Amino acid sequence: MLYEELLYAYGFEVLAVAKNGEEAVNKYKSFSIKPDIIIMDHRMPIKTGIEATEEILEIDKNAKIIFASADETVKQIALSIGALIFELKPFDNKTLIEDINILLGSSQ
Amino acid sequence: MKLEPTDSDNERRKKILNFFIVWIDTVVVIICLASLIIMFFGLQQDYIGEMLFLLLGGLIFFIAAGVTFWMNNVFTRNYASYIFLLLLILIIIFTDTPFQLVEGRGLLVFALPIIITSFILKPIYSFRMAGVVSIIIIIISITINIVPNISVISIYFIIALIVWFSANNLERSLNYAKESKVEMQDARNKIDIYRDIFSHDMLNIFQNIRSSVGLLIDASEKNLDVNKSFIMENLANQSIKGTELTRNAKKLFQADSFNESMQTINSYDILLCSIEKIKKFYLRKKIFIEVDSKSKNYNLLGNPLLINVFDNILANAVEHNLNDKIEIHIRIRNIEQDNDRFIKFEFIDNGIGISNEMKKILFQTNLKEPVAERSIGTGLLLANTIIKSFKGSISVEDKIKNDPSKGSNFIVTIPEVS
């Protein structure tokens, strides 16, 4: 996965990658130590990013979610349900890394 | 009264009945007002009794028509129509002398319920009303010892025929307009969805390219430790995806012409071409495709677009497969369903499989927003559209029943041509 490679290259650890929204929710439930950040796509099979975000935030209202989509129409919904940052595709790596660092409360 | 092409038969007849109620009620009110004015100014003193009767009749009709209007809009149109017609016939009968009804001006007024019936009930009912009116004329004629006027009764049936023809044509034209509007809306919805999926997938490809290039630049400038060959391969794949996406989208936008140039084609030959194409396309992947067929001739009524169906199903099996060795088993058989002959193609792969939830929406007939929301690519959308234009069907099952993770079995069934 490209984003696994990318995040590792910038010094982050990727706990898991999900192929769809449902898998994302199930993996989140299964973690004993929850991830610091979740990067969520929107258009995915079975469960959309919006649905998965809602479920994850129901499990843990403090989960930090960066919502990434090429569909600008979901921006308001994503932010209103609790995603902290919306990245409109195509975005550059620098923006993503900066946003991750903002959410982690540190800067590189 | 505004008739819309999208109105159902019931809605349209309801509107027409409302129109007639209001129209006839207005006429009754005008007549009653005129009678009141005449009485008020003391004119026509000799006819004061008849005028009071007219006023009373008008008032009763006004109230009854109001109730009918309410029934039409709140309860059932059918009963409201029958009550309205009954009221109309009663008002015709009670506002004229029996002689005038069967020999004079009443004959002309009796055409009114015949005309109205065909528009507020079914067009063919104009004949029934002509029959009812004829019976009334015969009864009144016998009551006052006059021979029923057969020529007038015949004219009623001619009026019924003309009205039936007109109302039928009006309904047919409105239904045609309705179908055209629905088809146009459907086509517009499809184009919107195709455009949405295309632009979304294209932006995803650009995102992937941008991230890959950015990573390669940072790797050389900041000495990041990255798997360069993986990123290069990813870039190559994105260019392939972009090409396929553009081709599929172009064809999807031409979907209306899919059933043109239909001819008998040998699907077996087209399948072999598609297999060769896929193997060349994914040259770096280890793909093993086995074809299990009883014959080399599987003729169907279609067109060369069939290759896109096979291309997309095979590409889907290759792309959604994490194994080093990608295995696709294609089984072709002649089958019989409901006394019709079909060719059944099964594409069984060892890929990541398709979940049960996804199976439900993958080939749903009506394109709706959730299809785009749930990331259905243009490839399978195109395959489905082409197969439907060949009057066939496509579905997906698990390779091993109740275990989606072991791979999928895409089943395509198309009518056979002998």
Side-chain angles (χ1 to χ4, degrees):
Chain A
M1 295 290 283
L2 179 68
Y3 283 87
E4 233 177 328
E5 184 74 30
L6 187 146
L7 291 167
Y8 274 123
Y10 288 99
F12 301 105
E13 186 188 352
V14 178
L15 286 188
V17 179
K19 291 194 293 288
N20 58 60
E22 189 173 78
E23 202 180 313
V25 176
N26 290 337
K27 283 193 172 170
Y28 191 81
K29 280 180 191 167
S30 70
F31 290 137
S32 52
I33 300 167
K34 305 291 182 197
D36 295 318
I37 307 269
I38 300 162
I39 301 171
M40 182 75 75
D41 197 357
H42 175 49
R43 291 194 182 181
M44 293 184 285
I46 307 168
K47 252 184 204 138
T48 64
I50 292 287
E51 290 164 341
T53 300
E54 278 176 330
E55 287 189 33
I56 288 172
L57 288 168
E58 264 175 37
I59 300 163
D60 176 9
K61 64 178 170 44
N62 295 317
K64 291 176 180 174
I65 298 175
I66 295 178
F67 205 95
S69 177
D71 184 356
E72 203 173 359
T73 60
V74 295
K75 182 180 177 178
Q76 283 309 318
I77 307 167
L79 294 175
S80 68
I81 60 168
L84 297 176
I85 291 172
F86 182 86
E87 303 277 14
L88 182 65
K89 292 181 185 177
F91 52 83
D92 59 32
N93 299 345
K94 198 180 160 205
T95 312
L96 179 67
I97 302 304
E98 278 174 4
D99 287 339
I100 292 173
N101 283 326
I102 288 169
L103 290 188
L104 289 175
S106 64
S107 56
Q108 284 188 341
Chain B
M1 178 179 64
K2 194 177 178 190
L3 297 179
E4 298 285 348
T6 45
D7 288 344
S8 65
D9 285 351
N10 188 49
E11 282 167 354
R12 185 173 60 246
R13 288 171 186 153
K14 193 182 257 187
K15 282 182 183 178
I16 296 174
L17 178 58
N18 279 339
F19 168 76
F20 279 126
I21 293 171
V22 172
W23 180 65
I24 292 178
D25 242 5
T26 310
V27 172
V28 170
V29 168
I30 290 169
I31 292 171
C32 290
L33 283 174
S35 306
L36 276 173
I37 291 166
I38 291 167
M39 281 165 64
F40 185 76
F41 287 105
L43 305 166
Q44 302 286 338
Q45 292 291 335
D46 300 341
Y47 297 102
I48 200 89
E50 282 181 24
M51 280 187 184
L52 278 172
F53 176 76
L54 189 73
L55 266 176
L56 186 67
L59 188 68
I60 293 168
F61 181 84
F62 187 76
I63 294 165
V67 173
T68 314
F69 187 86
W70 174 73
M71 270 184 79
N72 184 38
N73 291 290
V74 179
F75 293 116
T76 160
R77 174 191 56 84
N78 253 3
Y79 288 127
S81 305
Y82 288 122
I83 292 171
F84 175 72
L85 289 168
L86 183 70
L87 278 172
L88 193 61
I89 290 169
L90 287 176
I91 203 166
I92 292 169
I93 292 172
F94 288 109
T95 52
D96 223 334
T97 61
F99 180 78
Q100 287 292 353
L101 284 172
V102 293
E103 285 293 327
R105 56 184 176 246
L107 289 171
L108 192 69
V109 185
F110 267 128
L112 204 59
I114 300 173
I115 296 167
I116 293 175
T117 302
S118 63
F119 290 100
I120 63 172
L121 291 166
K122 288 181 181 171
I124 196 79
Y125 283 22
S126 59
F127 291 101
R128 287 191 191 181
M129 185 49 82
V132 171
V133 168
S134 303
I135 292 166
I136 293 169
I137 298 281
I138 291 167
I139 293 170
I140 297 172
S141 301
I142 292 168
T143 315
I144 58 169
N145 293 320
I146 292 176
V147 178
N149 194 335
I150 301 300
S151 57
V152 169
I153 290 171
S154 310
I155 289 170
Y156 285 149
F157 281 95
I158 292 168
I159 291 171
L161 181 73
I162 294 166
V163 170
W164 165 75
F165 184 75
S166 311
N168 225 8
N169 271 342
L170 175 76
E171 286 205 350
R172 211 174 295 161
S173 307
L174 285 169
N175 283 336
Y176 179 73
K178 184 178 167 183
E179 280 167 19
S180 305
K181 197 169 178 179
V182 169
E183 273 174 22
M184 206 172 78
Q185 190 58 46
D186 191 41
R188 203 176 291 162
N189 288 347
K190 274 185 187 167
I191 286 174
D192 283 349
I193 289 169
Y194 297 159
R195 192 173 47 203
D196 179 62
I197 294 173
F198 175 74
S199 59
H200 178 270
D201 289 2
M202 212 60 198
L203 285 170
N204 262 337
I205 289 170
F206 287 137
Q207 173 66 59
N208 225 301
I209 293 170
R210 195 167 174 179
S211 295
S212 300
V213 172
L215 195 53
L216 284 175
I217 292 169
D218 281 357
S220 65
E221 285 179 359
K222 298 175 186 171
N223 285 327
L224 294 179
D225 180 24
V226 295
N227 183 346
K228 284 184 182 167
S229 65
F230 166 77
I231 298 167
M232 301 278 202
E233 195 171 331
N234 180 61
L235 277 170
N237 282 339
Q238 294 308 315
S239 107
I240 291 170
K241 272 190 178 178
T243 311
E244 277 304 287
L245 178 65
T246 313
R247 282 182 183 152
N248 285 342
K250 192 179 167 190
K251 281 166 194 150
L252 273 170
F253 281 115
Q254 296 164 339
D256 285 344
S257 59
F258 279 3
N259 48 10
E260 286 172 11
S261 64
M262 297 287 264
Q263 52 186 293
T264 303
I265 50 172
N266 184 2
S267 55
Y268 185 83
D269 293 341
I270 292 176
L271 178 65
L272 294 187
C273 286
S274 176
I275 292 169
E276 284 310 304
K277 198 173 151 189
I278 289 293
K279 282 182 176 173
K280 278 184 194 166
F281 205 80
Y282 297 98
L283 210 54
R284 296 174 62 141
K285 299 203 176 192
K286 289 176 194 163
I287 304 171
F288 297 88
I289 302 178
E290 178 194 22
V291 180
D292 165 18
S293 72
K294 302 270 183 196
S295 154
K296 290 187 176 180
N297 286 303
Y298 289 96
N299 291 332
L300 55 87
L301 190 65
N303 58 37
L305 282 168
L306 181 64
I307 197 163
N308 295 287
V309 174
F310 298 144
D311 286 354
N312 281 303
I313 294 173
L314 291 172
N316 189 66
V318 173
E319 282 185 15
H320 297 99
N321 199 315
L322 303 174
N323 296 302
D324 286 338
K325 190 178 166 187
I326 296 166
E327 293 171 3
I328 305 169
H329 180 86
I330 304 170
R331 189 188 297 143
I332 319 173
R333 293 287 184 271
N334 295 102
I335 59 160
E336 204 169 307
Q337 268 177 7
D338 303 325
N339 296 324
D340 287 320
R341 303 269 301 163
F342 290 88
I343 304 166
K344 183 181 180 185
F345 301 89
E346 288 180 86
F347 298 81
I348 305 156
D349 63 58
N350 64 337
I352 57 170
I354 294 172
S355 68
N356 292 332
E357 290 86 350
M358 196 67 181
K359 281 187 204 100
K360 284 180 203 161
I361 58 162
L362 200 56
F363 297 117
Q364 69 182 41
T365 321
N366 297 320
L367 281 176
K368 290 174 191 162
E369 198 57 37
V371 177
E373 289 264 307
R374 284 166 212 285
S375 188
I376 309 295
T378 49
L380 292 179
L381 198 60
L382 176 66
N384 190 21
T385 312
I386 295 170
I387 289 165
K388 287 223 156 26
S389 73
F390 295 171
K391 301 193 185 336
S393 64
I394 183 166
S395 60
V396 62
E397 292 176 359
D398 296 332
K399 179 185 173 184
I400 295 164
K401 209 173 177 183
N402 298 327
D403 190 355
S405 64
K406 292 284 186 293
S408 318
N409 180 9
F410 279 84
I411 302 165
V412 175
T413 315
I414 303 176
E416 184 190 350
V417 174
S418 49

